Amino acid sequence: MITNDTYKISETAWCPGCGNFSIIKSVKDALVRSGLEQDQIVFVSGIGQAAKAPHYLNVNLLDGLHGRSLPAATGVKLANPTLNVIVESGDGCSYGEGGNHFISAIRRNIDLTVIVHNNQVYGLTKGQASPTSDEGFVTKTQPDGVKSGSFNPIEVAVALKAGFVARSFSGMPAHATEMIVKGIKHKGFSLIDILQPCVTFNKVNNFGWYKKRCVELPKDHDPTNWENALKVATQWGDKIPVGVIYENSRKPYDELIYTGLNSTPKDLKSILAKYC
């Protein structure tokens, strides 16, 4: 029986006030709400403060290289498609080092739930700009401000027609839980980008900054309307929409692989043997 103690949270090494605390509770609550047994789930993470999150949960975990969680998760899912594979990491690991893997996983529509803690800064390595840092953001290594344009993961994911694209905010824990539950339920690539403050290294995009701007999508928003979702995805600044921005029903890659070969997961060895 799944209870709140099944995925209990152990002591963490995060700074007091870090947005990770709220997100890890939302993840735990989503697992309980989804009614998933521990042996039905595998978490895969990379490197970073956010990537430590599954370490503090009572779950099966594969902790990979920096930015390499998605290919490792793809391997887990293809080896055993019955598993719910959840990737959890930060904006640097997922959109910087893992940027090409992010694009490839969307293109293939791997059935993964990808939860990205997005605090717009590198927290583990003490405050360098990340791919999602706003232009002009000042850090110790960018004292004159970031010169590059900011990477918008929602816009990229919608443009590539990812299966499920949602955004939430750590200051809206019930909303974040709901987005994760929906992402787990979706068959295909699911991205849940969760904005969160880094209280130590990002003094600009703090809790109040996000709280003032994050606005839930109107109830009449149709996530299956790609053109409209793309317009919503480009919104960033005084108003940041949160909710399910885009969703489609593309068949996931693992189903295409096994259905196309008229095979079952147990035949993976015979598939690989053809290439040996």
Side-chain angles (χ1 to χ4, degrees), residues 194-215:
I194 305 180
L195 301 170
Q196 61 146 125
C198 174
V199 294
T200 302
F201 296 110
N202 189 341
K203 303 298 185 184
V204 176
N205 310 108
N206 55 28
F207 182 88
W209 191 94
Y210 290 123
K211 186 74 174 177
K212 180 180 177 182
R213 290 166 172 78
C214 289
V215 179

Side-chain angles (χ1 to χ4, degrees), residues 117-244:
H117 302 217
N118 186 354
N119 58 14
Q120 301 186 256
V121 74
Y122 282 98
L124 184 71
T125 50
K126 304 191 184 306
Q128 300 91 343
S130 87
T132 58
S133 296
D134 289 325
E135 194 170 349
F137 181 65
V138 176
T139 76
K140 288 184 289 187
T141 52
Q142 290 92 8
D144 296 326
V146 173
K147 307 299 183 187
S148 304
S150 177
F151 179 76
N152 182 338
I154 300 296
E155 184 178 3
V156 171
V158 174
L160 293 173
K161 297 186 176 179
F164 178 93
V165 184
R167 177 192 281 132
S168 191
F169 165 46
S170 64
M172 304 166 68
H175 182 270
T177 299
E178 182 184 355
M179 295 300 105
I180 297 168
V181 169
K182 289 182 176 180
I184 291 173
K185 187 177 180 181
H186 179 85
K187 294 299 180 186
F189 185 92
S190 304
L191 170 67
I192 301 102
D193 183 84
I194 305 180
L195 301 170
Q196 61 146 125
C198 174
V199 294
T200 302
F201 296 110
N202 189 341
K203 303 298 185 184
V204 176
N205 310 108
N206 55 28
F207 182 88
W209 191 94
Y210 290 123
K211 186 74 174 177
K212 180 180 177 182
R213 290 166 172 78
C214 289
V215 179
E216 288 195 54
L217 286 165
K219 294 187 183 301
D220 61 355
H221 172 72
D222 178 7
T224 66
N225 184 326
W226 181 74
E227 288 82 4
N228 188 56
L230 197 55
K231 291 178 184 176
V232 172
T234 62
Q235 295 178 19
W236 179 268
D238 292 338
K239 179 181 177 183
I240 302 174
V242 300
V244 180

Side-chain angles (χ1 to χ4, degrees), residues 5 20 22 63 73 80 95 118 129 149 156 229 231 238 273 276:
D5 291 332
N20 286 336
S22 177
D63 197 11
N80 189 344
Y95 306 141
N118 186 354
V156 171
K231 291 178 184 176
D238 292 338
C276 295

Side-chain angles (χ1 to χ4, degrees), residues 50-106:
K52 293 179 181 177
H55 298 194
Y56 305 132
L57 286 171
N58 190 19
V59 295
N60 298 305
L61 169 65
L62 171 61
D63 197 11
L65 299 173
H66 201 6
R68 304 295 180 261
S69 53
L70 283 171
T74 298
V76 173
K77 184 66 183 180
L78 292 181
N80 189 344
T82 65
L83 289 170
N84 291 273
V85 183
I86 301 174
V87 175
E88 191 170 9
S89 205
D91 44 302
C93 192
S94 299
Y95 306 141
E97 286 83 354
N100 188 44
H101 299 304
F102 177 68
I103 292 171
S104 298
I106 291 174

